[in-house]
Amino acid sequence: MSALFEPWTLRDLTIPNRVWMPPMCQYSAAPDGPTAGAPTDWHFAHYAARAAGGTGLIIVEATAVSPEGRISPYDLGLWNDTQAEALRRITGFLTAQGTVPAVQLAHAGRKASTDQPWRSGAPLGAEEGGWRPVAPSPIAFGAGHPLPEELTTQQMTSVVRQFADAARRALAAGFQAVEVHGAHGYLIHEFLSPYSNHRTDAYGGSYENRTRFALEVVDAVRAVWPEDKPVFFRVSATDWLPEGGWTPEDTVRLAADLHAHGVDLLDVSTGGNVAEARIPTGPGYQVPFAARVKAESPLPVAAVGLITEAEQAEKILANGEADAVLLGRELLRDPSWARRAARTLGAQTRVPEQYLRSV
């Protein structure tokens, strides 16, 4: 049996293989009106193609827990029931294809209110449909970005509740797993890192204080999410700073804390919190961070980052560096990557009846 195509059970959920799709924003939802934040035909076609292509688990893109938590006005959301009902069409199709539907719940923090990346990706002013971002501390993400509003503890309590409410809607929408977005310089990561968190209250300073908000969000989500279904957490394992940022050592420590709070898997990425950070990319460049968490903590991990070839993915799992692999750009290029990888590795995987002539 190929390690890549071995089923895996987390809690009571069995995932058919270890080829997973990470959350990748499509910036294609309506920006306003009664369907703001709801998926469109683009979203259905996008996710349906990867499910038909044999992907074992698909994590739907960063889905905002509130309007002001969107990266852009064109992001998906789960702050109302209309959005949840619209997502049922996608989860229903994925489930029918044997793919596990998951969703990433997110708040963009100080990186909110930007344009679609193919237009400019620049911050939007109020006259362009934008809004003032919020953050742990009033520190702009980078040049040209606005100074965010510092969250009060009352506002933080509201955000925690929004995560829980979004998780309830995710369950009603048919998702089988939920991921808390704590990476890439968005709100939870901003709290974790001393680079972006300069608070002097119970949510800043020490490691325990800086991780407090993340654990409160996890506790709120876990409290409303069924015990038989898994909760994931996405983390940036490093800020890629020589000092003064979030570190791999912090990540290992956080993994143990998240495990104790009911998280079932750590989705290990890196970066995103420092605009000018230098990141040395290359094939599998983030895998060592996942491997370290797996070796030094009790939490299972998924690896991501320029994983493109079947043999490469198989080796990562066979060597015990990760429990699953997430393929981003590669699945954008090839929706049927999982079926192609199965043929390469001599493994069996499902094929839709309509595509049997392709076997």
Side-chain angles (χ1 to χ4, degrees):
M1 170 75 71
S2 159
L4 194 60
F5 289 93
E6 183 179 357
W8 189 27
T9 299
L10 285 170
R11 299 206 178 222
D12 290 346
L13 178 68
T14 298
I15 304 162
N17 61 50
R18 316 298 180 94
V19 180
W20 296 4
M21 181 173 169
M24 292 178 285
C25 289
Q26 299 298 293
Y27 304 103
S28 297
D32 48 38
T35 60
T40 62
D41 285 347
W42 174 265
H43 294 96
F44 180 83
H46 170 65
Y47 291 113
R50 278 78 194 166
T55 307
L57 178 142
I58 290 175
I59 307 177
V60 168
E61 63 203 79
T63 300
V65 300
S66 66
E68 61 276 10
R70 293 173 291 176
I71 303 167
S72 84
Y74 305 93
D75 287 15
L76 290 184
L78 263 173
W79 66 81
N80 65 45
D81 295 341
T82 298
Q83 297 158 344
E85 183 58 32
L87 283 163
R88 287 193 64 85
R89 182 184 178 213
I90 293 174
T91 62
F93 186 87
L94 268 56
T95 301
Q97 296 303 310
T99 295
V100 173
V103 64
Q104 184 186 69
L105 303 180
H107 192 298
R110 67 178 183 169
K111 294 176 76 173
S113 187
T114 60
D115 205 349
Q116 292 162 308
W118 51 84
R119 291 167 58 95
S120 71
L124 296 174
E127 70 282 358
E128 302 168 296
W131 58 94
R132 186 181 181 188
V134 298
S137 302
I139 305 168
F141 171 64
H145 284 257
L147 200 68
E149 174 189 349
E150 180 172 305
L151 285 167
T152 66
T153 53
Q154 184 176 6
Q155 288 173 313
M156 290 160 56
T157 299
S158 177
V159 172
V160 171
R161 184 170 60 251
Q162 289 166 349
F163 269 93
D165 290 343
R168 289 191 190 94
R169 293 190 183 99
L171 184 65
F175 289 103
Q176 297 297 306
V178 66
E179 177 171 273
V180 174
H181 197 353
H184 299 161
Y186 299 119
L187 184 63
I188 293 176
H189 185 181
E190 292 163 20
F191 271 95
L192 294 175
S193 173
Y195 179 83
S196 48
N197 183 349
H198 293 185
R199 299 178 74 99
T200 57
D201 62 4
Y203 292 88
S206 68
Y207 165 88
E208 290 80 5
N209 285 357
R210 287 183 285 107
T211 59
R212 190 183 309 277
F213 180 70
L215 296 177
E216 287 179 354
V217 170
V218 165
D219 286 345
V221 169
R222 185 74 267 183
V224 302
W225 196 247
E227 279 295 315
D228 62 346
K229 299 182 188 300
V231 171
F232 304 163
F233 188 96
R234 191 164 221 196
V235 68
S236 284
T238 176
D239 282 339
W240 293 104
L241 288 173
E243 58 182 17
W246 183 257
T247 69
E249 291 75 21
D250 292 329
T251 300
V252 170
R253 186 175 177 184
L254 179 63
D257 292 339
L258 291 170
H259 181 263
H261 284 255
V263 168
D264 301 284
L265 176 131
L266 195 66
D267 175 359
V268 183
S269 187
T270 66
N273 197 38
V274 181
E276 66 276 12
R278 291 189 172 188
I279 303 176
T281 61
Y285 72 103
Q286 296 178 137
V287 173
F289 297 98
R292 180 171 177 181
V293 173
K294 184 170 172 58
E296 299 180 20
S297 85
L299 202 57
V301 300
V304 66
L306 294 182
I307 300 169
T308 59
E309 302 300 326
E311 297 90 345
Q312 176 195 17
E314 179 76 11
K315 184 178 179 181
I316 290 167
L317 299 181
N319 288 349
E321 296 174 280
D323 300 284
V325 293
L326 294 152
L327 295 98
R329 291 174 177 84
E330 194 62 24
L331 276 172
L332 295 183
R333 288 186 284 263
D334 182 1
S336 297
W337 189 93
R339 289 214 309 274
R340 180 169 61 82
R343 288 196 299 270
T344 298
L345 298 172
Q348 297 294 318
T349 190
R350 70 185 186 281
V351 179
E353 294 176 346
Q354 296 89 336
Y355 290 173
L356 285 174
R357 74 191 74 174
S358 71
V359 176

